[in-house]
Amino acid sequence: METIAILITGGTLDKVHNTLTETLTFPKDKSSQITRLLELGRCAYPVIIPVLQEDSLNLCDEGRAAILAAVKACAQSRLIITHGTGTMGKTAQYLEGKTGDKTVVLTGSMRPFSLGKSDAGFNVGGALIAAQTLPAGVYAVMNGRVFKASEIKKDVQSGRFD
């Protein structure tokens, strides 16, 4: 089996509760929740590559360029990008047609993994399967569905991707 790389870019999946400010923030040590998530799933084979730790609503084309550079520099041809749900579609469309013969799957969560009752494990598990089986291209996996880059749309009313 080919090794999969998981590029970490931030988003809700990686946020934790800050008890001082009563807000959701990224950990001060810049760690990712993905390591613990994979441990719980007994999934030890992906390579973890930190790229950014950004709320996707604050992500600009400079950040997207950094993500693209990380995709191109990655030795693996099958990649997952953890990403915030707010602009996941925009980033996927930015990457589309620029990743060569790599299979790139974006995923994230609507609720932080650290808070429990999160969809993060389900979405990352789906992304792992998709990254192993889909042909080259850019996709997203959310809520048990696979979307092509041009079809990613978050429905804020329902709290899912349709």
mmCIF file of all heavy atoms in Angstrom, residues 18-49:
data_model
loop_
_atom_site.group_PDB
_atom_site.id
_atom_site.type_symbol
_atom_site.label_atom_id
_atom_site.label_comp_id
_atom_site.label_asym_id
_atom_site.label_seq_id
_atom_site.Cartn_x
_atom_site.Cartn_y
_atom_site.Cartn_z
ATOM 1 N N ASN A 18 -10.319 27.376 24.603
ATOM 2 C CA ASN A 18 -9.448 28.210 25.418
ATOM 3 C C ASN A 18 -10.268 28.666 26.617
ATOM 4 O O ASN A 18 -11.201 29.464 26.476
ATOM 5 C CB ASN A 18 -8.950 29.409 24.605
ATOM 6 C CG ASN A 18 -8.006 30.289 25.389
ATOM 7 O OD1 ASN A 18 -8.174 30.506 26.574
ATOM 8 N ND2 ASN A 18 -7.018 30.827 24.687
ATOM 9 N N THR A 19 -9.917 28.173 27.799
ATOM 10 C CA THR A 19 -10.711 28.473 28.985
ATOM 11 C C THR A 19 -10.548 29.916 29.466
ATOM 12 O O THR A 19 -11.419 30.424 30.165
ATOM 13 C CB THR A 19 -10.352 27.519 30.146
ATOM 14 O OG1 THR A 19 -8.948 27.592 30.391
ATOM 15 C CG2 THR A 19 -10.744 26.089 29.809
ATOM 16 N N LEU A 20 -9.484 30.577 29.092
ATOM 17 C CA LEU A 20 -9.290 31.975 29.491
ATOM 18 C C LEU A 20 -10.175 32.926 28.689
ATOM 19 O O LEU A 20 -10.766 33.846 29.233
ATOM 20 C CB LEU A 20 -7.821 32.384 29.335
ATOM 21 C CG LEU A 20 -6.835 31.675 30.253
ATOM 22 C CD1 LEU A 20 -5.403 32.089 29.927
ATOM 23 C CD2 LEU A 20 -7.153 31.958 31.708
ATOM 24 N N THR A 21 -10.256 32.685 27.388
ATOM 25 C CA THR A 21 -11.020 33.589 26.524
ATOM 26 C C THR A 21 -12.407 33.058 26.182
ATOM 27 O O THR A 21 -13.198 33.766 25.579
ATOM 28 C CB THR A 21 -10.260 33.842 25.212
ATOM 29 O OG1 THR A 21 -10.115 32.590 24.513
ATOM 30 C CG2 THR A 21 -8.906 34.475 25.467
ATOM 31 N N GLU A 22 -12.658 31.791 26.569
ATOM 32 C CA GLU A 22 -13.934 31.128 26.239
ATOM 33 C C GLU A 22 -14.183 31.107 24.728
ATOM 34 O O GLU A 22 -15.300 31.303 24.253
ATOM 35 C CB GLU A 22 -15.115 31.776 26.980
ATOM 36 C CG GLU A 22 -15.125 31.495 28.468
ATOM 37 C CD GLU A 22 -15.248 30.010 28.798
ATOM 38 O OE1 GLU A 22 -15.942 29.268 28.095
ATOM 39 O OE2 GLU A 22 -14.614 29.588 29.789
ATOM 40 N N THR A 23 -13.111 30.879 23.982
ATOM 41 C CA THR A 23 -13.201 30.791 22.523
ATOM 42 C C THR A 23 -12.538 29.504 22.055
ATOM 43 O O THR A 23 -11.844 28.830 22.814
ATOM 44 C CB THR A 23 -12.493 31.988 21.848
ATOM 45 O OG1 THR A 23 -11.110 31.972 22.233
ATOM 46 C CG2 THR A 23 -13.143 33.307 22.228
ATOM 47 N N LEU A 24 -12.753 29.203 20.789
ATOM 48 C CA LEU A 24 -12.050 28.087 20.166
ATOM 49 C C LEU A 24 -10.817 28.650 19.474
ATOM 50 O O LEU A 24 -10.921 29.575 18.674
ATOM 51 C CB LEU A 24 -12.951 27.376 19.156
ATOM 52 C CG LEU A 24 -14.165 26.668 19.749
ATOM 53 C CD1 LEU A 24 -15.056 26.125 18.643
ATOM 54 C CD2 LEU A 24 -13.728 25.551 20.688
ATOM 55 N N THR A 25 -9.661 28.092 19.801
ATOM 56 C CA THR A 25 -8.398 28.552 19.234
ATOM 57 C C THR A 25 -7.544 27.342 18.876
ATOM 58 O O THR A 25 -7.886 26.208 19.206
ATOM 59 C CB THR A 25 -7.614 29.423 20.239
ATOM 60 O OG1 THR A 25 -7.342 28.644 21.410
ATOM 61 C CG2 THR A 25 -8.396 30.665 20.643
ATOM 62 N N PHE A 26 -6.429 27.602 18.218
ATOM 63 C CA PHE A 26 -5.483 26.532 17.954
ATOM 64 C C PHE A 26 -4.584 26.365 19.180
ATOM 65 O O PHE A 26 -4.319 27.329 19.896
ATOM 66 C CB PHE A 26 -4.647 26.845 16.702
ATOM 67 C CG PHE A 26 -5.472 26.863 15.461
ATOM 68 C CD1 PHE A 26 -5.736 28.055 14.806
ATOM 69 C CD2 PHE A 26 -5.999 25.697 14.942
ATOM 70 C CE1 PHE A 26 -6.514 28.078 13.661
ATOM 71 C CE2 PHE A 26 -6.775 25.707 13.793
ATOM 72 C CZ PHE A 26 -7.030 26.897 13.150
ATOM 73 N N PRO A 27 -4.098 25.153 19.441
ATOM 74 C CA PRO A 27 -3.221 24.939 20.596
ATOM 75 C C PRO A 27 -1.983 25.836 20.525
ATOM 76 O O PRO A 27 -1.437 26.066 19.448
ATOM 77 C CB PRO A 27 -2.823 23.461 20.484
ATOM 78 C CG PRO A 27 -3.850 22.842 19.607
ATOM 79 C CD PRO A 27 -4.324 23.920 18.679
ATOM 80 N N LYS A 28 -1.553 26.324 21.683
ATOM 81 C CA LYS A 28 -0.373 27.191 21.738
ATOM 82 C C LYS A 28 0.871 26.498 21.203
ATOM 83 O O LYS A 28 1.747 27.126 20.633
ATOM 84 C CB LYS A 28 -0.132 27.682 23.163
ATOM 85 C CG LYS A 28 -1.136 28.694 23.621
ATOM 86 C CD LYS A 28 -0.828 29.174 25.020
ATOM 87 C CE LYS A 28 -1.901 30.162 25.467
ATOM 88 N NZ LYS A 28 -1.651 30.646 26.825
ATOM 89 N N ASP A 29 0.960 25.181 21.401
ATOM 90 C CA ASP A 29 2.140 24.442 20.943
ATOM 91 C C ASP A 29 2.059 24.083 19.454
ATOM 92 O O ASP A 29 2.918 23.393 18.932
ATOM 93 C CB ASP A 29 2.359 23.187 21.777
ATOM 94 C CG ASP A 29 1.242 22.160 21.639
ATOM 95 O OD1 ASP A 29 0.272 22.381 20.881
ATOM 96 O OD2 ASP A 29 1.335 21.116 22.309
ATOM 97 N N LYS A 30 0.995 24.553 18.779
ATOM 98 C CA LYS A 30 0.774 24.337 17.343
ATOM 99 C C LYS A 30 0.637 22.859 16.970
ATOM 100 O O LYS A 30 0.834 22.474 15.835
ATOM 101 C CB LYS A 30 1.864 25.006 16.513
ATOM 102 C CG LYS A 30 1.933 26.503 16.730
ATOM 103 C CD LYS A 30 2.636 27.189 15.599
ATOM 104 C CE LYS A 30 2.756 28.667 15.843
ATOM 105 N NZ LYS A 30 1.594 29.431 15.548
ATOM 106 N N SER A 31 0.286 22.034 17.943
ATOM 107 C CA SER A 31 0.078 20.615 17.672
ATOM 108 C C SER A 31 -1.234 20.421 16.919
ATOM 109 O O SER A 31 -2.092 21.296 16.896
ATOM 110 C CB SER A 31 0.065 19.823 18.974
ATOM 111 O OG SER A 31 -1.022 20.248 19.786
ATOM 112 N N SER A 32 -1.366 19.252 16.330
ATOM 113 C CA SER A 32 -2.574 18.918 15.587
ATOM 114 C C SER A 32 -3.328 17.795 16.288
ATOM 115 O O SER A 32 -2.717 16.880 16.852
ATOM 116 C CB SER A 32 -2.218 18.474 14.161
ATOM 117 O OG SER A 32 -3.375 18.031 13.486
ATOM 118 N N GLN A 33 -4.633 17.858 16.221
ATOM 119 C CA GLN A 33 -5.488 16.808 16.781
ATOM 120 C C GLN A 33 -5.462 15.548 15.910
ATOM 121 O O GLN A 33 -5.892 14.483 16.350
ATOM 122 C CB GLN A 33 -6.929 17.315 16.899
ATOM 123 C CG GLN A 33 -7.089 18.547 17.776
ATOM 124 C CD GLN A 33 -6.707 18.277 19.210
ATOM 125 O OE1 GLN A 33 -7.174 17.319 19.820
ATOM 126 N NE2 GLN A 33 -5.845 19.106 19.753
ATOM 127 N N ILE A 34 -4.964 15.660 14.699
ATOM 128 C CA ILE A 34 -5.000 14.529 13.757
ATOM 129 C C ILE A 34 -4.207 13.330 14.289
ATOM 130 O O ILE A 34 -4.595 12.188 14.065
ATOM 131 C CB ILE A 34 -4.517 14.960 12.349
ATOM 132 C CG1 ILE A 34 -5.009 13.972 11.281
ATOM 133 C CG2 ILE A 34 -3.030 15.109 12.266
ATOM 134 C CD1 ILE A 34 -6.444 14.101 10.949
ATOM 135 N N THR A 35 -3.136 13.585 15.017
ATOM 136 C CA THR A 35 -2.332 12.487 15.566
ATOM 137 C C THR A 35 -3.173 11.628 16.505
ATOM 138 O O THR A 35 -3.184 10.401 16.398
ATOM 139 C CB THR A 35 -1.094 13.042 16.299
ATOM 140 O OG1 THR A 35 -0.364 13.859 15.398
ATOM 141 C CG2 THR A 35 -0.206 11.928 16.804
ATOM 142 N N ARG A 36 -3.894 12.268 17.412
ATOM 143 C CA ARG A 36 -4.754 11.532 18.350
ATOM 144 C C ARG A 36 -5.902 10.842 17.624
ATOM 145 O O ARG A 36 -6.247 9.702 17.928
ATOM 146 C CB ARG A 36 -5.295 12.491 19.424
ATOM 147 C CG ARG A 36 -6.183 11.830 20.433
ATOM 148 C CD ARG A 36 -5.403 10.894 21.363
ATOM 149 N NE ARG A 36 -6.329 10.249 22.285
ATOM 150 C CZ ARG A 36 -6.371 8.952 22.500
ATOM 151 N NH1 ARG A 36 -5.519 8.151 21.908
ATOM 152 N NH2 ARG A 36 -7.254 8.436 23.331
ATOM 153 N N LEU A 37 -6.471 11.519 16.653
ATOM 154 C CA LEU A 37 -7.563 10.942 15.876
ATOM 155 C C LEU A 37 -7.109 9.646 15.191
ATOM 156 O O LEU A 37 -7.804 8.633 15.232
ATOM 157 C CB LEU A 37 -8.036 11.962 14.839
ATOM 158 C CG LEU A 37 -9.257 11.621 14.020
ATOM 159 C CD1 LEU A 37 -9.979 12.904 13.635
ATOM 160 C CD2 LEU A 37 -8.884 10.866 12.772
ATOM 161 N N LEU A 38 -5.930 9.671 14.587
ATOM 162 C CA LEU A 38 -5.399 8.480 13.920
ATOM 163 C C LEU A 38 -5.090 7.376 14.925
ATOM 164 O O LEU A 38 -5.326 6.191 14.638
ATOM 165 C CB LEU A 38 -4.153 8.825 13.112
ATOM 166 C CG LEU A 38 -4.385 9.728 11.898
ATOM 167 C CD1 LEU A 38 -3.055 10.169 11.304
ATOM 168 C CD2 LEU A 38 -5.246 9.051 10.855
ATOM 169 N N GLU A 39 -4.580 7.744 16.098
ATOM 170 C CA GLU A 39 -4.316 6.752 17.142
ATOM 171 C C GLU A 39 -5.597 6.036 17.545
ATOM 172 O O GLU A 39 -5.618 4.812 17.686
ATOM 173 C CB GLU A 39 -3.709 7.418 18.379
ATOM 174 C CG GLU A 39 -2.275 7.827 18.223
ATOM 175 C CD GLU A 39 -1.769 8.656 19.405
ATOM 176 O OE1 GLU A 39 -2.536 8.882 20.379
ATOM 177 O OE2 GLU A 39 -0.611 9.081 19.348
ATOM 178 N N LEU A 40 -6.675 6.785 17.733
ATOM 179 C CA LEU A 40 -7.956 6.177 18.108
ATOM 180 C C LEU A 40 -8.467 5.236 17.031
ATOM 181 O O LEU A 40 -9.114 4.233 17.327
ATOM 182 C CB LEU A 40 -8.996 7.264 18.395
ATOM 183 C CG LEU A 40 -8.798 8.031 19.693
ATOM 184 C CD1 LEU A 40 -9.771 9.201 19.772
ATOM 185 C CD2 LEU A 40 -8.953 7.121 20.899
ATOM 186 N N GLY A 41 -8.180 5.556 15.784
ATOM 187 C CA GLY A 41 -8.592 4.702 14.676
ATOM 188 C C GLY A 41 -7.610 3.591 14.369
ATOM 189 O O GLY A 41 -7.801 2.844 13.409
ATOM 190 N N ARG A 42 -6.535 3.494 15.172
ATOM 191 C CA ARG A 42 -5.485 2.489 14.981
ATOM 192 C C ARG A 42 -4.901 2.567 13.578
ATOM 193 O O ARG A 42 -4.617 1.562 12.930
ATOM 194 C CB ARG A 42 -6.005 1.086 15.271
ATOM 195 C CG ARG A 42 -6.474 0.940 16.693
ATOM 196 C CD ARG A 42 -6.922 -0.458 16.990
ATOM 197 N NE ARG A 42 -7.434 -0.491 18.356
ATOM 198 C CZ ARG A 42 -8.494 -1.167 18.709
ATOM 199 N NH1 ARG A 42 -9.163 -1.876 17.844
ATOM 200 N NH2 ARG A 42 -8.896 -1.139 19.964
ATOM 201 N N CYS A 43 -4.734 3.785 13.116
ATOM 202 C CA CYS A 43 -4.238 4.057 11.766
ATOM 203 C C CYS A 43 -2.870 4.723 11.900
ATOM 204 O O CYS A 43 -2.787 5.915 12.188
ATOM 205 C CB CYS A 43 -5.228 4.966 11.033
ATOM 206 S SG CYS A 43 -4.720 5.384 9.377
ATOM 207 N N ALA A 44 -1.809 3.960 11.677
ATOM 208 C CA ALA A 44 -0.465 4.464 11.950
ATOM 209 C C ALA A 44 0.355 4.754 10.697
ATOM 210 O O ALA A 44 1.503 5.118 10.804
ATOM 211 C CB ALA A 44 0.281 3.454 12.817
ATOM 212 N N TYR A 45 -0.209 4.602 9.513
ATOM 213 C CA TYR A 45 0.631 4.682 8.332
ATOM 214 C C TYR A 45 0.750 6.050 7.664
ATOM 215 O O TYR A 45 1.697 6.277 6.921
ATOM 216 C CB TYR A 45 0.200 3.639 7.292
ATOM 217 C CG TYR A 45 -1.190 3.832 6.755
ATOM 218 C CD1 TYR A 45 -1.420 4.647 5.663
ATOM 219 C CD2 TYR A 45 -2.272 3.200 7.343
ATOM 220 C CE1 TYR A 45 -2.701 4.830 5.174
ATOM 221 C CE2 TYR A 45 -3.546 3.376 6.863
ATOM 222 C CZ TYR A 45 -3.747 4.189 5.772
ATOM 223 O OH TYR A 45 -5.013 4.375 5.294
ATOM 224 N N PRO A 46 -0.138 7.025 7.855
ATOM 225 C CA PRO A 46 0.050 8.302 7.152
ATOM 226 C C PRO A 46 1.250 9.102 7.664
ATOM 227 O O PRO A 46 1.621 9.019 8.829
ATOM 228 C CB PRO A 46 -1.245 9.066 7.427
ATOM 229 C CG PRO A 46 -2.237 8.024 7.821
ATOM 230 C CD PRO A 46 -1.430 6.980 8.525
ATOM 231 N N VAL A 47 1.833 9.874 6.767
ATOM 232 C CA VAL A 47 2.879 10.826 7.116
ATOM 233 C C VAL A 47 2.179 12.147 7.405
ATOM 234 O O VAL A 47 1.343 12.594 6.606
ATOM 235 C CB VAL A 47 3.865 10.998 5.932
ATOM 236 C CG1 VAL A 47 4.851 12.109 6.199
ATOM 237 C CG2 VAL A 47 4.558 9.686 5.631
ATOM 238 N N ILE A 48 2.469 12.784 8.535
ATOM 239 C CA ILE A 48 1.829 14.038 8.924
ATOM 240 C C ILE A 48 2.772 15.190 8.591
ATOM 241 O O ILE A 48 3.922 15.199 9.039
ATOM 242 C CB ILE A 48 1.496 14.056 10.432
ATOM 243 C CG1 ILE A 48 0.748 12.797 10.857
ATOM 244 C CG2 ILE A 48 0.745 15.334 10.804
ATOM 245 C CD1 ILE A 48 -0.566 12.568 10.198
ATOM 246 N N ILE A 49 2.269 16.165 7.827
ATOM 247 C CA ILE A 49 3.084 17.314 7.418
ATOM 248 C C ILE A 49 2.354 18.605 7.790
ATOM 249 O O ILE A 49 1.357 18.964 7.156
ATOM 250 C CB ILE A 49 3.364 17.282 5.904
ATOM 251 C CG1 ILE A 49 4.067 15.975 5.518
ATOM 252 C CG2 ILE A 49 4.185 18.509 5.479
ATOM 253 C CD1 ILE A 49 4.192 15.752 4.030
#
